[in-house]
Coordinates of all heavy atoms in Angstrom, one line a residue:
Q23 N 182.0 46.9 179.2 CA 181.3 45.8 179.8 C 181.7 45.5 181.3 O 182.8 45.9 181.7 CB 181.5 44.5 179.0 CG 180.8 44.5 177.7 CD 180.9 43.1 177.0 OE1 181.9 42.4 177.2 NE2 179.9 42.8 176.2
R24 N 180.8 45.0 182.0 CA 181.2 44.6 183.4 C 182.2 43.5 183.4 O 182.1 42.6 182.6 CB 179.9 44.2 184.2 CG 180.1 44.1 185.7 CD 178.8 43.8 186.4 NE 177.8 44.9 186.2 CZ 176.7 44.9 186.8 NH1 176.3 44.0 187.7 NH2 175.8 45.9 186.6
E25 N 183.2 43.7 184.3 CA 184.3 42.7 184.3 C 184.6 42.2 185.7 O 184.4 43.0 186.7 CB 185.6 43.3 183.6 CG 186.1 44.5 184.4 CD 187.4 45.0 183.8 OE1 187.9 44.4 182.8 OE2 188.0 46.0 184.4
L26 N 185.1 41.0 185.8 CA 185.6 40.5 187.1 C 186.8 41.3 187.6 O 187.7 41.4 186.8 CB 185.8 39.0 187.0 CG 186.5 38.4 188.2 CD1 185.5 38.3 189.4 CD2 187.0 37.0 187.9
V27 N 186.8 41.7 188.8 CA 187.9 42.3 189.5 C 188.6 41.2 190.3 O 189.8 41.0 190.2 CB 187.6 43.5 190.3 CG1 188.8 44.0 191.0 CG2 186.9 44.6 189.5
A28 N 187.9 40.6 191.2 CA 188.4 39.6 192.1 C 187.3 38.8 192.7 O 186.2 39.2 192.8 CB 189.2 40.3 193.3
K29 N 187.7 37.5 193.0 CA 186.7 36.6 193.5 C 187.3 35.7 194.5 O 188.5 35.3 194.3 CB 186.1 35.8 192.3 CG 185.0 34.8 192.6 CD 184.6 34.1 191.3 CE 183.5 33.2 191.4 NZ 183.0 32.6 190.2
I30 N 186.6 35.3 195.5 CA 187.1 34.5 196.6 C 186.1 33.3 196.8 O 184.9 33.6 197.0 CB 187.5 35.2 197.9 CG1 188.1 34.3 198.9 CG2 186.3 35.9 198.4 CD1 188.8 35.0 200.0
I31 N 186.6 32.1 196.7 CA 185.8 30.9 196.9 C 185.7 30.6 198.4 O 186.6 31.0 199.2 CB 186.4 29.8 196.1 CG1 186.7 30.2 194.7 CG2 185.4 28.6 196.1 CD1 185.5 30.8 193.9
R32 N 184.8 29.8 198.8 CA 184.6 29.4 200.2 C 185.8 28.8 200.8 O 186.1 29.0 202.0 CB 183.4 28.5 200.3 CG 183.0 28.2 201.7 CD 181.7 27.4 201.9 NE 181.3 27.3 203.3 CZ 180.7 28.2 204.0 NH1 180.4 29.3 203.4 NH2 180.4 27.9 205.2
D33 N 186.6 28.1 200.0 CA 187.8 27.5 200.5 C 189.0 28.4 200.7 O 190.1 28.1 201.1 CB 188.3 26.3 199.7 CG 188.6 26.7 198.3 OD1 188.6 27.8 197.9 OD2 189.0 25.7 197.5
G34 N 188.7 29.7 200.3 CA 189.8 30.7 200.4 C 190.6 31.0 199.1 O 191.3 31.9 199.1
S35 N 190.4 30.2 198.1 CA 191.1 30.4 196.9 C 190.6 31.7 196.2 O 189.4 32.0 196.4 CB 191.0 29.2 195.9 OG 189.6 28.9 195.6
T36 N 191.5 32.3 195.5 CA 191.1 33.6 194.9 C 191.5 33.7 193.4 O 192.3 33.0 192.9 CB 191.9 34.8 195.6 OG1 193.3 34.5 195.5 CG2 191.4 34.9 197.1
N37 N 190.7 34.6 192.7 CA 191.0 34.9 191.3 C 191.1 36.4 191.2 O 190.3 37.1 191.8 CB 189.9 34.4 190.4 CG 189.9 32.9 190.3 OD1 190.9 32.2 190.4 ND2 188.7 32.3 190.2
Y38 N 192.0 36.9 190.4 CA 192.1 38.3 190.2 C 192.2 38.6 188.7 O 192.8 37.9 187.9 CB 193.4 38.9 190.8 CG 193.4 38.9 192.3 CD1 193.9 37.9 193.1 CD2 192.8 40.0 193.0 CE1 193.9 37.8 194.5 CE2 192.8 40.0 194.4 CZ 193.3 38.9 195.1 OH 193.3 38.9 196.5
A39 N 191.7 39.8 188.3 CA 192.0 40.2 187.0 C 193.4 40.6 186.8 O 194.0 41.1 187.8 CB 191.1 41.5 186.7
D40 N 194.0 40.4 185.7 CA 195.5 40.7 185.5 C 195.8 42.1 185.8 O 196.8 42.4 186.4 CB 195.9 40.3 184.1 CG 196.0 38.9 183.8 OD1 196.0 38.1 184.8 OD2 196.0 38.5 182.7
S41 N 194.8 43.0 185.5 CA 195.1 44.4 185.7 C 195.2 44.9 187.2 O 195.6 46.0 187.4 CB 194.0 45.2 185.0 OG 192.7 44.9 185.5
V42 N 194.7 44.0 188.1 CA 194.7 44.4 189.5 C 195.6 43.6 190.3 O 195.8 43.8 191.5 CB 193.3 44.4 190.1 CG1 192.4 45.3 189.2 CG2 192.8 43.0 190.3
K43 N 196.2 42.5 189.8 CA 197.1 41.7 190.5 C 198.3 42.4 191.1 O 198.9 43.3 190.5 CB 197.7 40.6 189.6 CG 196.6 39.5 189.3 CD 197.3 38.4 188.4 CE 196.2 37.3 188.1 NZ 196.8 36.3 187.2
G44 N 198.5 42.2 192.4 CA 199.6 42.9 193.1 C 199.2 44.2 193.7 O 199.9 44.8 194.5
R45 N 198.0 44.7 193.3 CA 197.5 46.0 193.9 C 196.2 45.8 194.7 O 196.0 46.5 195.7 CB 197.2 46.9 192.8 CG 198.4 47.3 191.9 CD 198.1 48.4 190.9 NE 197.0 48.0 189.9 CZ 195.9 48.7 189.8 NH1 195.6 49.8 190.6 NH2 195.0 48.3 188.9
F46 N 195.4 44.8 194.4 CA 194.1 44.6 195.1 C 194.2 43.3 195.8 O 194.8 42.3 195.4 CB 193.0 44.5 194.1 CG 192.6 45.8 193.4 CD1 193.4 47.0 193.5 CD2 191.4 45.9 192.7 CE1 193.1 48.1 192.8 CE2 191.1 47.1 192.0 CZ 191.9 48.2 192.1
T47 N 193.5 43.3 197.0 CA 193.5 42.0 197.8 C 192.0 41.8 198.2 O 191.4 42.7 198.8 CB 194.3 42.1 199.0 OG1 195.7 42.4 198.6 CG2 194.3 40.8 199.8
I48 N 191.5 40.6 197.9 CA 190.2 40.3 198.3 C 190.2 39.4 199.5 O 191.1 38.5 199.6 CB 189.4 39.6 197.2 CG1 187.9 39.5 197.5 CG2 190.0 38.3 196.8 CD1 187.0 39.1 196.4
S49 N 189.3 39.6 200.4 CA 189.2 38.7 201.6 C 187.8 38.6 202.0 O 186.9 39.4 201.6 CB 190.1 39.3 202.8 OG 189.6 40.6 203.1
R50 N 187.5 37.6 202.9 CA 186.1 37.4 203.3 C 186.1 37.0 204.8 O 187.0 36.3 205.2 CB 185.4 36.5 202.4 CG 185.9 35.1 202.4 CD 185.2 34.2 201.4 NE 183.8 33.8 201.8 CZ 183.0 33.0 201.1 NH1 183.4 32.6 199.9 NH2 181.8 32.6 201.5
D51 N 185.0 37.3 205.4 CA 184.7 36.9 206.8 C 183.5 36.0 206.7 O 182.3 36.5 206.5 CB 184.5 38.1 207.7 CG 184.3 37.7 209.1 OD1 183.8 36.5 209.4 OD2 184.6 38.5 210.0
N52 N 183.6 34.7 206.6 CA 182.5 33.8 206.5 C 181.5 33.9 207.6 O 180.3 33.8 207.3 CB 183.0 32.3 206.4 CG 183.8 32.1 205.1 OD1 183.5 32.7 204.1 ND2 184.7 31.1 205.1
A53 N 181.9 34.2 208.8 CA 181.0 34.3 209.9 C 180.1 35.5 209.7 O 178.9 35.5 210.2 CB 181.8 34.4 211.2
K54 N 180.6 36.5 209.1 CA 179.8 37.7 208.9 C 179.2 37.9 207.5 O 178.6 38.9 207.2 CB 180.6 39.0 209.2 CG 181.1 39.1 210.6 CD 182.0 40.4 210.8 CE 182.4 40.5 212.2 NZ 183.3 41.7 212.4
N55 N 179.4 36.9 206.6 CA 179.0 36.9 205.2 C 179.4 38.2 204.6 O 178.7 38.8 203.8 CB 177.4 36.8 205.2 CG 176.9 35.4 205.1 OD1 177.7 34.5 205.3 ND2 175.6 35.2 204.9
T56 N 180.6 38.6 204.8 CA 181.2 39.9 204.3 C 182.4 39.6 203.5 O 183.3 38.8 203.9 CB 181.5 40.8 205.5 OG1 180.3 41.1 206.2 CG2 182.0 42.1 205.0
V57 N 182.5 40.4 202.4 CA 183.7 40.3 201.5 C 184.3 41.7 201.5 O 183.5 42.7 201.5 CB 183.3 39.8 200.1 CG1 182.3 40.7 199.4 CG2 184.6 39.6 199.3
Y58 N 185.6 41.8 201.4 CA 186.3 43.0 201.4 C 187.2 43.1 200.1 O 187.7 42.1 199.7 CB 187.2 43.2 202.6 CG 186.5 43.0 203.9 CD1 186.4 41.8 204.6 CD2 185.8 44.1 204.5 CE1 185.8 41.7 205.8 CE2 185.1 44.0 205.7 CZ 185.1 42.7 206.3 OH 184.4 42.6 207.5
L59 N 187.4 44.3 199.6 CA 188.4 44.5 198.6 C 189.3 45.7 198.9 O 188.8 46.8 199.0 CB 187.7 44.8 197.2 CG 188.6 44.9 196.0 CD1 189.2 43.5 195.7 CD2 187.9 45.4 194.8
Q60 N 190.5 45.3 199.3 CA 191.5 46.4 199.6 C 192.2 46.8 198.3 O 192.8 45.9 197.6 CB 192.5 45.8 200.6 CG 193.6 46.8 200.9 CD 193.1 48.0 201.7 OE1 192.4 47.9 202.7 NE2 193.4 49.2 201.2
M61 N 192.1 48.0 197.9 CA 192.7 48.5 196.7 C 193.8 49.5 197.0 O 193.6 50.5 197.7 CB 191.6 49.2 195.8 CG 190.4 48.3 195.6 SD 189.1 49.1 194.5 CE 188.5 50.3 195.6
K62 N 195.0 49.2 196.5 CA 196.1 50.1 196.7 C 196.7 50.5 195.3 O 196.4 49.9 194.3 CB 197.2 49.4 197.5 CG 196.7 49.0 198.9 CD 197.8 48.3 199.7 CE 197.4 47.9 201.1 NZ 198.5 47.2 201.8
S63 N 197.5 51.5 195.3 CA 198.2 52.0 194.1 C 197.1 52.2 193.0 O 197.3 51.8 191.9 CB 199.2 51.0 193.6 OG 200.2 50.8 194.6
L64 N 196.0 52.9 193.4 CA 194.9 53.1 192.4 C 195.4 53.9 191.3 O 196.2 54.8 191.4 CB 193.7 53.7 193.1 CG 192.9 52.7 194.0 CD1 192.1 53.4 195.0 CD2 192.1 51.8 193.1

């Protein structure tokens, strides 16, 4: 099934799946309406 990896709220708060904590980082640029997911130690 489709699962949540990471989510970032407008105030900057974030949620991560336990399986990716410490390896993935989510960020967003509100001015550009863009969200990024940096994935390391894949």
Side-chain angles (χ1 to χ4, degrees):
Q23 289 189 330
R24 191 173 297 189
E25 62 175 1
L26 172 69
V27 177
K29 184 176 182 178
I30 184 165
I31 312 302
R32 187 171 184 83
D33 63 2
S35 58
T36 57
N37 293 325
Y38 291 94
D40 288 342
S41 60
V42 307
K43 284 181 180 177
R45 299 187 298 121
F46 291 10
T47 302
I48 190 169
S49 60
R50 66 186 282 182
D51 185 334
N52 290 332
K54 296 181 179 180
N55 273 9
T56 300
V57 63
Y58 307 95
L59 185 68
Q60 179 67 53
M61 304 184 291
K62 298 180 179 180
S63 302
L64 283 160

